Amino acid sequence: MMLNPDAIPLSANGTEASPDPNAALRFEDLTIDDDLSLLERVVRYVRSGIALQRLVHVKMIAETAKAVGTESTINSILPLLPPLVSDSESIIRQHLAMQLLPLCLTCMFGDDPAFDPKDKSTFGSRVYNDGGYAIATLKLVSHMRTLLGDPDMDVRKAASDGLATLALYIRSADVPSVILRIPLQLMHDEKNRKNLKQTNNSNASDNISDDLCITACHLLADVASISSTQVPPMMVAQHISPTIMALSRHENFRVRRTVVQALPRVISGSTLDDLTSKLIPCFNQLSMDESYRVRKSVGECLVDLSRSLMLIGNNEDVAANYNENYNTEVGMASGVKSNGDGKVAMRRVRRDNLIPICLRLLQDNHKVVKYGMLQFLGPFIASFYPLDAGDDNQDDEGIVSILDNREERAIGGMGSQFFPHANGMVTRLNPEFVSSPTTMPGIIQTQSKERNFSPDSKEYLESLLPQFLEKRYNDSKSLVNILRHREKTNIDQDDIAIIESKILPFYVELASINTGDENSDAEMRVYCAYSLPAVVLLLGNEGWDKVLKNCFLKLIAGSSDNNKDGTDTSFVPLPVKRCLASSFHTICHIVGPAAFRATTEEKNNKRDLLSIFEYHFLRDQDETVRLNIIRNLPSFLSLLSSSKRSKYLPILFDIICGDTMLASKRKNALNPMLLNWRQRDMIAQILPNLICLFRPDQVRQYLWPVIKLLLSDSVNLIRENVEWSIPILLRSYEYNKCVKGRDDTSAVKQFCQESCNEVFVFLKATLLENRTTSTHKAISCGAFSKRQSYCRILSAMALILRLNEDRGMKRAKMEDGAESLPFPVHPFYDLTREAYRHLHHLLRALFLPPALNMKDDRVTNVRLTLAKSLRIMPADISDRGDVHVILRTLEDEIETWEGGGGQNMQVEAPKIKVVNNAIDGNLGTTSTIQAPGNNVKKEGGGKDMLQSDVQGVDKKIPKFGNNEDDSMSLASI
């Protein structure tokens, strides 16, 4: 009898696919028949005798099930599973376990187009396929149960993750009978089996039994924390907590250690009575376990337990039951009804129980336990920072939600990584993220990262911005969100008091710890430095002034009496300096202006933060330290007043252009390429933000020379990244920005004109005419690459105009409201009307005309780059006659290339020579292009914008190229 329409050979019971006999492999067995449909391929090759073929097609099972629907999945795919569950290859069993969850969802919801696995609001209202639901909860769960007892750890982990996540999607009433019974039965069976084999003294069987108990413990913890709707606290108290308590008395320390790791997750989903009467005492008892490994694990899990207690505090059920239960248990005052009072209760539980455990572990006789607690001491202190909106801000989002960048295109952003242990806790307390069906191709078809947007859409234009600009902006915005949250949040003063009196001295001691082992000392100082920003965030300016500033100074400058001038850092571990260099700007933002206040003695000894920034970070001999501080240089400088920034700019210029950075050309005999290009590239990336911080005259004097150096760099990536600084540079030369604080308007006009002309003349000479100035060496790249660079600069100028056609209102909306901490300004947004007109005129009158002659460039890639540039021009430029015709011609040519033709196009290259700084071709005439500063016309009085023009822009300009052009070999790319 055949139960499936595809005629799959079935075994005698009529329900399972019979494997092929073990026969000698033929040549056709080694190949894949591409003519088969997706279902036919899976049906054939999951039964292949070649393990690799089985593995590849097992990974396709969920995708195939989604494609063929519920009925075909039940009839054709499910009969293939029993042989695979017992496959000889563990990697195949592991991937099969990962496919079972999406198979279950396909059976239960596969034909429901409204089903969205990411939507948790539909709990209790989902429409199930009754037949598929029965098969999923019986047959497929049975396969998961088999794999849960697999000897291989990875197979058990995959099956456990699938089972725990399945609890989100089945009926809540079925969770005990379908999900929870499996780990409970598994432990019961292993206990009976172990009792029967006691006389055999088999260590191997004991290890397997212990491993299964560990797997069951993790599974129970995952289910307990997955959802209070699907798995209510009473279900946790009835089915999960007793089992966890029993396992805490297991004879094997590995099982007890697993219980320690599981308790924070169980507590996050338990009831208040279960928490106070069973789970917290159990955790406390394990902190005094005879095995040092268990005690060490307790210290590592204190952070998770601290966070999970506050998750209970945010639960409305806790606040509702608070009067009834908690007042009598811990002696709190009555009359508590709000959710905020539940937080107060949990904070007291945390202080009364976790602080003593922490102190006990810090004084443990075993070195491993003590050092393990010291390692997590900073994160434990930071866990007292409230991640929610606070007691008085119930409608606001918590800090993790605020930092969670949900935008699809979002790049960078500090995110909840600022609270790495809290972010990890979110993952550990929600197994959905471990085995998320939303990322499986069998449930939701993965969307392409690159979506097709209209060329005129805001999304398309934003996608053209470089990632480093977006990342820097999002990082700065995340930091502002953190500071805003700290400003609105009231930290529990009882928490602050007990931390400062009991725990903080141990943490500060890490900065100068002396255990007699240099490696251990260095490791402990790294732990201290890593957590310092979060500890400063919790304790605020008062904590900084009291002890944390000295802690920071000890970490970066040392505590030796022989280091009074603060310049000898040879004994400071290099990882400590690298860590502090990355977080230095964050600490300064948290402390605020008070960070830069210093005594005369501190300044003389170079122990104030500005001196530390210069001598310990910016001038450090280690390239990684310098790289980390340069990465956040604009953020740090934004904290300084304009006068301090102005005084500091020459110093920065000397350091950046000095031997340790741009002037450094370190090479290696085995690698002739320059080794420090990343440092120069980071400078190129921060230049747009740096330009926004200084006056136009300072930009011209100090930053424009740096741009010129980087535009002539030998590394292509650096040249491409610094090109994005040109529009921001020209933006800073806008008349209204230059005239601020000055009375001589005529001098300002002349400055604006000369500055813009200087940029244009340099780019024209180095990129278009392939000439070098007296102070810069020639770029090592070909002349055609320089012309491409010029086109990319035009694209950047056009892009800033297109993004501000609405005058930056999109970004401005984000800053509405009277916030004391405004969001940072994106360099490519928020153009004023005058700045828009200024850049528009420069693009149309100066920069664009020379580029249009590249329409006849003999290098295909140059013409392609020009076409890309013209496509994003503002409409009033791209629709103009000559630009429109040239773009249309180039697009027709591109269509020809894509059609397979035009690969060997030959364009005659006219001979040209330079005569009096003008281009002379074989067209019979000499070009009359003059330097743009030689003929400047005033429009509108010259007060609104720079109005410069070039003679001969309407005359025909000869084609670029010369006999010395080194791009001849690339003429037919």
Side-chain angles (χ1 to χ4, degrees):
M1 177 179 178
M2 303 298 295
L3 297 180
N4 62 86
D6 296 285
I8 302 174
L10 301 180
S11 58
N13 59 16
T15 59
E16 299 179 0
S18 58
D20 291 338
N22 295 326
L25 292 176
R26 299 168 298 174
F27 175 78
E28 51 267 28
D29 295 329
L30 302 177
T31 60
I32 301 295
D33 188 353
D34 294 330
D35 295 332
L36 297 176
S37 66
L38 186 61
L39 178 60
E40 292 171 337
R41 280 188 58 179
V42 169
V43 169
R44 173 177 296 184
Y45 293 109
V46 296
R47 299 177 295 135
S48 170
I50 303 174
L52 182 59
Q53 289 184 349
R54 295 200 306 276
L55 175 62
V56 169
H57 290 84
V58 162
K59 292 181 179 181
M60 298 169 59
I61 286 179
E63 178 183 358
T64 305
K66 181 62 178 178
V68 300
T70 301
E71 184 177 356
S72 295
T73 297
I74 295 173
N75 292 331
S76 301
I77 295 180
L78 296 191
L80 303 172
L81 301 182
L84 296 173
V85 171
S86 57
D87 195 280
S88 59
E89 299 291 339
S90 63
I91 187 65
I92 294 178
R93 301 195 304 273
Q94 177 185 348
H95 282 278
L96 175 65
M98 297 169 64
Q99 300 291 306
L100 290 178
L101 173 62
L103 270 181
C104 288
L105 299 187
T106 299
C107 291
M108 294 189 295
F109 310 104
D111 297 330
D112 182 8
F115 171 67
D116 182 6
K118 296 182 290 186
D119 185 7
K120 300 180 183 180
S121 62
T122 58
F123 289 156
S125 61
R126 290 171 174 158
V127 179
Y128 295 94
N129 181 315
D130 292 336
Y133 185 88
I135 291 177
T137 54
L138 293 176
K139 193 172 186 63
L140 292 180
V141 169
S142 175
H143 293 324
M144 290 183 179
R145 163 67 178 84
T146 302
L147 294 172
L148 198 65
D150 195 275
D152 189 270
M153 178 184 64
D154 293 330
V155 177
R156 297 196 304 271
K157 178 68 167 57
S160 175
D161 291 342
L163 265 175
T165 311
L166 183 62
L168 278 172
Y169 299 100
I170 64 175
R171 298 183 178 97
S172 177
D174 292 338
V175 171
S177 59
V178 174
I179 306 296
L180 294 180
R181 71 173 180 83
I182 294 178
L184 298 179
Q185 183 181 359
L186 183 67
M187 294 173 55
H188 182 267
D189 293 344
E190 288 305 318
K191 182 178 180 181
N192 293 338
R193 188 181 299 112
K194 188 174 182 179
N195 292 333
L196 293 176
K197 293 184 177 181
Q198 283 181 348
T199 57
N200 297 333
N201 296 324
S202 174
N203 293 330
S205 62
D206 289 347
N207 290 334
I208 294 176
S209 176
D210 296 338
D211 289 340
L212 294 178
C213 289
I214 291 173
T215 300
C217 184
H218 280 304
L219 175 57
L220 290 171
D222 288 342
V223 173
S225 61
I226 200 164
S227 170
S228 60
T229 303
Q230 287 290 95
V231 185
M234 290 305 299
M235 186 184 298
V236 175
Q238 181 179 356
H239 298 282
I240 297 178
S241 294
T243 306
I244 296 296
M245 295 291 295
L247 288 175
S248 68
R249 298 184 293 271
H250 197 278
E251 60 183 10
N252 192 302
F253 79 90
R254 294 170 57 239
V255 179
R256 300 198 303 274
R257 184 173 59 187
T258 303
V259 172
V260 172
Q261 298 167 355
L263 275 173
R265 288 171 285 169
V266 177
I267 286 175
S268 68
S270 65
T271 63
L272 184 63
D273 178 69
D274 205 38
L275 163 71
T276 55
S277 63
K278 297 179 181 178
L279 299 180
I280 289 293
C282 175
F283 191 83
N284 185 62
Q285 185 64 34
L286 289 171
S287 69
M288 297 179 286
D289 193 272
E290 61 181 10
S291 172
Y292 75 90
R293 295 182 178 90
V294 177
R295 301 198 303 276
K296 179 177 182 291
S297 183
V298 169
E300 295 170 350
C301 294
L302 273 178
V303 179
D304 290 350
L305 186 56
S306 174
R307 293 297 185 195
S308 65
L309 286 174
M310 296 316 299
L311 290 179
I312 293 182
N314 292 332
N315 193 324
E316 295 180 358
D317 294 336
V318 173
N321 297 328
Y322 180 78
N323 281 330
E324 181 179 352
N325 299 318
Y326 193 72
N327 293 340
T328 58
E329 291 173 5
V330 294
M332 294 288 289
S334 60
V336 182
K337 297 181 180 180
S338 68
N339 190 24
D341 294 319
K343 300 175 187 178
V344 173
M346 289 302 101
R347 286 198 289 265
R348 177 161 183 177
V349 170
R350 181 169 60 180
R351 289 194 302 270
D352 293 346
N353 293 276
L354 301 194
I355 296 293
I357 292 176
C358 176
L359 293 174
R360 185 187 310 127
L361 297 177
L362 287 172
Q363 299 170 1
D364 197 277
N365 293 328
H366 202 288
K367 181 175 67 174
V368 173
V369 178
K370 180 179 179 180
Y371 287 178
M373 187 65 248
L374 287 174
Q375 176 182 348
F376 283 85
L377 188 57
F380 178 62
I381 295 175
S383 71
F384 282 74
Y385 183 85
L387 298 182
D388 52 53
D391 300 340
D392 301 326
N393 300 287
Q394 301 298 326
D395 296 331
D396 294 343
E397 290 184 294
I399 186 64
V400 174
S401 299
I402 292 174
L403 298 179
D404 183 18
N405 208 335
R406 301 181 181 90
E407 296 182 13
E408 187 174 335
R409 283 192 57 259
I411 300 171
M414 202 173 294
S416 48
Q417 296 172 358
F418 189 86
F419 305 92
H421 297 275
N423 189 35
M425 189 63 190
V426 172
T427 301
R428 288 189 292 272
L429 291 184
N430 192 347
E432 178 199 1
F433 293 99
V434 178
S435 181
S436 175
T438 62
T439 61
M440 298 181 181
I443 300 303
I444 292 182
Q445 298 299 326
T446 305
Q447 296 181 352
S448 175
K449 293 183 180 180
E450 296 183 1
R451 297 175 58 184
N452 295 324
F453 295 110
S454 168
D456 295 327
S457 66
K458 211 66 166 172
E459 292 80 4
Y460 173 75
L461 296 175
E462 289 176 345
S463 68
L464 300 178
L465 286 170
Q467 290 191 2
F468 65 83
L469 274 180
E470 293 295 283
K471 182 181 185 303
R472 184 156 287 103
Y473 174 77
N474 289 332
D475 286 345
S476 300
K477 193 172 67 172
S478 298
L479 183 55
V480 170
N481 279 325
I482 292 172
L483 298 178
R484 286 182 178 181
H485 184 270
R486 179 64 176 88
E487 195 176 58
K488 298 176 181 178
T489 302
N490 295 322
I491 309 296
D492 193 317
Q493 292 305 307
D494 292 335
D495 286 349
I496 297 295
I498 196 170
I499 288 174
E500 290 182 343
S501 61
K502 300 291 186 180
I503 301 180
L504 194 59
F506 289 96
Y507 174 78
V508 174
E509 186 182 352
L510 291 177
S512 56
I513 191 171
N514 185 7
T515 63
D517 184 354
E518 292 184 359
N519 293 331
S520 297
D521 293 346
E523 187 177 2
M524 292 302 166
R525 291 173 186 173
V526 171
Y527 295 143
C528 180
Y530 176 77
S531 303
L532 185 59
V535 175
V536 174
L537 182 70
L538 172 70
L539 301 181
N541 287 8
E542 293 184 3
W544 172 260
D545 293 334
K546 288 180 181 178
V547 291
L548 294 180
K549 181 178 180 179
N550 289 332
C551 177
F552 172 81
L553 292 176
K554 287 180 181 179
L555 284 171
I556 193 59
S559 57
S560 173
D561 295 335
N562 299 324
N563 189 35
K564 293 182 179 180
D565 61 352
T567 58
D568 181 13
T569 60
S570 58
F571 53 89
V572 177
L574 187 59
V576 173
K577 290 193 291 184
R578 291 175 174 177
C579 182
L580 291 177
S582 297
S583 60
F584 181 71
H585 73 292
T586 303
I587 293 175
C588 292
H589 273 281
I590 295 173
V591 179
F596 302 107
R597 289 197 290 264
T599 64
T600 304
E601 181 181 358
E602 288 177 337
K603 292 181 180 179
N604 294 335
N605 293 332
K606 295 183 174 60
R607 293 175 71 87
D608 61 300
L609 292 192
L610 286 178
S611 298
I612 287 174
F613 168 72
E614 178 181 350
Y615 293 101
H616 292 274
F617 293 136
L618 208 55
R619 295 184 185 273
D620 195 89
Q621 296 299 314
D622 182 67
E623 181 178 335
T624 304
V625 173
R626 297 195 303 271
L627 193 66
N628 289 346
I629 200 66
I630 291 171
R631 181 179 289 110
N632 302 296
L633 184 60
S635 178
F636 170 76
L637 292 178
S638 66
L639 290 169
L640 303 180
S641 64
S642 178
S643 59
K644 283 189 177 181
R645 285 202 300 264
S646 300
K647 295 178 181 178
Y648 213 63
L649 185 56
I651 300 175
L652 288 174
F653 176 75
D654 292 338
I655 295 175
I656 290 175
C657 295
D659 293 336
T660 58
M661 294 194 185
L662 295 186
S664 175
K665 301 293 182 182
R666 295 188 296 108
K667 295 184 179 181
N668 186 290
L670 300 178
N671 184 7
M673 298 298 293
L674 299 180
L675 300 179
N676 61 338
W677 66 270
R678 290 181 179 85
Q679 197 169 226
R680 303 197 304 279
D681 182 53
M682 187 56 64
I683 295 174
Q685 293 182 18
I686 67 172
L687 275 172
N689 300 85
L690 279 181
I691 293 172
C692 297
L693 296 176
F694 296 99
R695 298 193 313 265
D697 59 319
Q698 296 171 330
V699 170
R700 186 181 184 186
Q701 182 179 359
Y702 296 108
L703 298 183
W704 168 233
V706 175
I707 294 176
K708 289 193 287 186
L709 281 173
L710 296 175
L711 282 171
S712 304
D713 199 273
S714 59
V715 178
N716 182 64
L717 178 63
I718 297 174
R719 297 195 304 272
E720 289 185 357
N721 287 341
V722 80
E723 290 164 3
W724 292 97
S725 300
I726 300 298
I728 313 304
L729 177 72
L730 296 172
R731 172 184 179 176
S732 70
Y733 294 153
E734 187 266 321
Y735 174 81
N736 287 313
K737 190 167 185 178
C738 295
V739 80
K740 289 182 179 179
R742 298 194 177 189
D743 298 329
D744 190 353
T745 57
S746 61
V748 172
K749 295 178 197 174
Q750 183 179 0
F751 172 83
C752 295
Q753 295 168 6
E754 291 177 353
S755 301
C756 294
N757 291 340
E758 183 182 13
V759 175
F760 174 73
V761 170
F762 175 83
L763 296 178
K764 178 171 174 286
T766 57
L767 301 182
L768 298 184
E769 299 173 0
N770 200 22
R771 292 189 288 113
T772 58
T773 64
S774 59
T775 57
H776 297 92
K777 297 181 180 180
I779 306 176
S780 60
C781 66
F784 78 97
S785 296
K786 299 177 185 178
R787 300 196 293 276
Q788 285 182 291
S789 178
Y790 188 86
C791 293
R792 289 194 297 267
I793 291 174
L794 292 187
S795 299
M797 294 181 65
L799 184 59
I800 193 173
L801 293 174
R802 293 291 303 278
L803 289 171
N804 289 273
E805 287 174 338
D806 57 356
R807 303 298 183 269
M809 292 304 296
K810 180 178 179 180
R811 296 275 176 155
K813 290 178 181 178
M814 300 175 61
E815 303 181 23
D816 289 344
E819 291 284 356
S820 59
L821 296 168
F823 280 125
V825 177
H826 194 291
F828 270 70
Y829 285 88
D830 302 316
L831 280 184
T832 62
R833 185 179 302 275
E834 292 77 13
Y836 183 92
R837 293 171 58 197
H838 168 75
L839 287 176
H840 186 280
H841 173 76
L842 290 177
L843 176 62
R844 177 183 56 81
L846 254 67
F847 287 85
L848 183 58
L852 297 180
N853 297 278
M854 283 185 269
K855 65 182 176 61
D856 296 324
D857 197 283
R858 69 174 182 271
V859 179
T860 303
N861 281 352
V862 175
R863 301 195 300 275
L864 178 61
T865 308
L866 176 63
K868 292 179 179 179
S869 175
L870 296 180
R871 283 172 181 166
I872 61 173
M873 290 289 164
D876 58 343
I877 295 179
S878 61
D879 293 341
R880 204 177 65 178
D882 50 351
V883 177
H884 180 74
V885 172
I886 292 172
L887 179 57
R888 185 65 178 269
T889 302
L890 292 175
E891 288 181 339
D892 290 342
E893 187 179 9
I894 293 174
E895 292 179 2
T896 303
W897 300 339
E898 294 177 348
Q903 296 299 317
N904 295 306
M905 290 178 291
Q906 298 293 334
V907 180
E908 182 181 358
K911 298 180 180 179
I912 65 174
K913 60 181 178 180
V914 177
V915 179
N916 296 329
N917 292 330
I919 302 178
D920 183 21
N922 57 1
L923 301 178
T925 60
T926 300
S927 157
T928 60
I929 298 180
Q930 298 180 4
N934 295 340
N935 185 23
V936 180
K937 299 179 181 179
K938 299 179 181 179
E939 297 180 14
K943 294 184 179 180
D944 294 334
M945 58 177 292
L946 171 65
Q947 296 289 350
S948 61
D949 207 348
V950 184
Q951 276 190 354
V953 292
D954 295 329
K955 297 184 179 182
K956 186 172 183 180
I957 303 177
K959 305 171 184 177
F960 290 97
N962 55 40
N963 289 335
E964 290 77 23
D965 194 337
D966 57 357
S967 62
M968 182 67 70
S969 60
L970 300 175
S972 60
I973 292 179

